[in-house]
């Protein structure tokens, strides 16, 4: 069963969101709410996927997935 969240870079970090991703992904500059409670502007550039993971979203995602958080 797939997890209910998606990773999406925006605002300088990779966040997780519960919003259903539209076919083809969120469009650039779309505003979405993330697990950490922040509203981010979507950035789909290649470098955006290399940004660090938002620690709050990481924690929330692991809780949803029921898996332990791996340090580092
Ligand atoms: Zn976040």
């Amino acid at each position: 069963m797939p997890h209910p969240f998606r990773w999406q870079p925006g605002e300088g970090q990779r966040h997780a969101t519960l919003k259903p991703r539209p076919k083809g992904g969120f469009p650039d500059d779309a505003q979405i709410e993330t697990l950490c409670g922040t509203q981010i502007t979507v950035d789909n550039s290649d470098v955006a996927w290399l940004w660090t993971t938002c620690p709050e979203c990481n924690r929330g995602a692991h809780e949803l997935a029921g898996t332990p958080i791996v340090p580092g």
Side-chain angles (χ1 to χ4, degrees), residues 4-70:
F5 56 89
R6 306 278 177 273
W7 292 103
Q8 177 61 57
E11 311 277 332
Q13 284 187 313
R14 286 191 309 124
H15 295 268
T17 180
L18 292 170
K19 276 182 80 74
R21 193 207 297 264
K23 199 172 180 9
F26 296 110
D28 274 321
D29 298 325
Q31 301 268 319
I32 58 169
E33 278 174 31
T34 61
L35 286 186
C36 61
T38 312
Q39 183 122 328
I40 62 161
T41 304
V42 168
D43 189 330
N44 288 312
S45 60
D46 285 345
V47 291
W49 288 100
L50 302 176
W51 289 340
T52 54
T53 304
C54 169
E56 286 295 312
C57 280
N58 194 36
R59 183 164 30 234
H62 278 281
E63 271 174 26
L64 286 171
T67 57
I69 297 172
V70 180

